[in-house]
Amino acid sequence: MDYYNRANELKEDTIEIRRYLHKNAEVGLDLPNTVEYVMKQLKEYGIQPPIMWTWSNCNDW
């Protein structure tokens, strides 16, 4: 894969995502809306990362 060309292809999407996150910033370390948005974006790119840890489930350990 040519990472440079792929990065250029994603440039506008990346800028849009960054702007969205800055306009909808969450305070603190519990970021449920941010996690949901990023996970949605990753799924659209065919990436399915597991959620390993959040502040919401830290007491479950």
Side-chain angles (χ1 to χ4, degrees):
M1 172 184 285
D2 184 349
Y3 293 104
Y4 180 78
N5 286 332
R6 183 64 177 142
N8 279 327
E9 290 172 6
L10 297 173
K11 181 179 178 179
E12 292 304 317
D13 287 347
T14 303
I15 291 169
E16 183 180 320
I17 291 167
R18 178 182 53 83
R19 287 180 177 158
Y20 174 86
L21 291 173
H22 284 232
K23 287 180 183 176
N24 298 281
E26 295 180 276
V27 178
L29 297 175
D30 190 21
L31 310 169
N33 297 328
T34 300
V35 170
E36 181 180 347
Y37 181 79
V38 171
M39 293 297 285
K40 178 180 173 267
Q41 297 302 316
L42 290 173
K43 287 177 187 176
E44 288 181 12
Y45 291 122
I47 301 169
Q48 185 67 33
I51 296 179
M52 302 301 290
W53 183 84
T54 65
W55 282 105
S56 300
N57 71 5
C58 68
N59 292 326
D60 296 342
W61 293 13

